[in-house]
Amino acid sequence: MAKIIWEDEPKLLLNQFIDYAGLEYGKSTAKRWATEVQAFEYRVKSFLESYPPEELLIGRSPLYRRRHLMNRRFKIIYYYDEADNTVHVIDIWDTRRNPSALIRRIK
């Protein structure tokens, strides 16, 4: 099983999105969003390549993958480091934003 490492910025964004969901849509929605993230972590630990590559970042190294969350409103962007057997979550992307901004954010 791989270890999951959340970078500081996506962890902060995730908490903000879940807090916002709790205020705007209610506690049950926030809880459902948190459960989706837990399901992502559980699955990606064992099945590292179970999610498709992020089409906006094709051709970059490492191979970035994505997992849609919250009714396809957000994407978790991550990559797998085979040398360390770790999954690095590097961004959470609001899909309503301009896609070119994602390309610029991922270095």
Side-chain angles (χ1 to χ4, degrees):
M1 282 194 145
K3 179 180 177 187
I4 298 179
I5 298 174
W6 285 77
E7 301 295 329
D8 291 337
E9 186 175 348
K11 187 186 294 186
L12 179 65
L13 285 172
L14 176 65
N15 290 333
Q16 289 174 350
F17 292 148
I18 290 174
D19 289 345
Y20 173 78
L23 293 172
E24 190 69 23
Y25 306 113
K27 289 182 181 180
S28 64
T29 299
K31 190 174 184 177
R32 187 173 65 243
W33 287 10
T35 302
E36 283 187 49
V37 173
Q38 291 172 345
F40 158 76
E41 289 180 340
Y42 180 76
R43 181 173 169 183
V44 81
K45 282 180 183 179
S46 299
F47 305 104
L48 304 165
E49 297 178 349
S50 62
Y51 296 110
E54 172 53 53
E55 62 275 355
L56 297 172
L57 301 172
I58 293 289
R60 293 197 182 187
S61 183
L63 177 62
Y64 294 100
R65 296 184 175 274
R66 60 145 162 78
R67 182 355 175 135
H68 283 282
L69 294 173
M70 306 160 204
N71 298 325
R72 301 183 65 86
R73 184 173 176 188
F74 299 99
K75 293 181 192 179
I76 292 179
I77 308 295
Y78 74 95
Y79 69 91
Y80 173 61
D81 184 356
E82 195 172 342
D84 294 335
N85 194 32
T86 56
V87 173
H88 295 268
V89 178
I90 59 164
D91 203 356
I92 293 188
W93 182 250
D94 186 338
T95 58
R96 298 171 296 171
R97 294 185 62 191
N98 185 348
S100 62
L102 174 63
I103 296 168
R104 287 191 306 270
R105 279 174 53 159
I106 307 295
K107 305 271 187 230

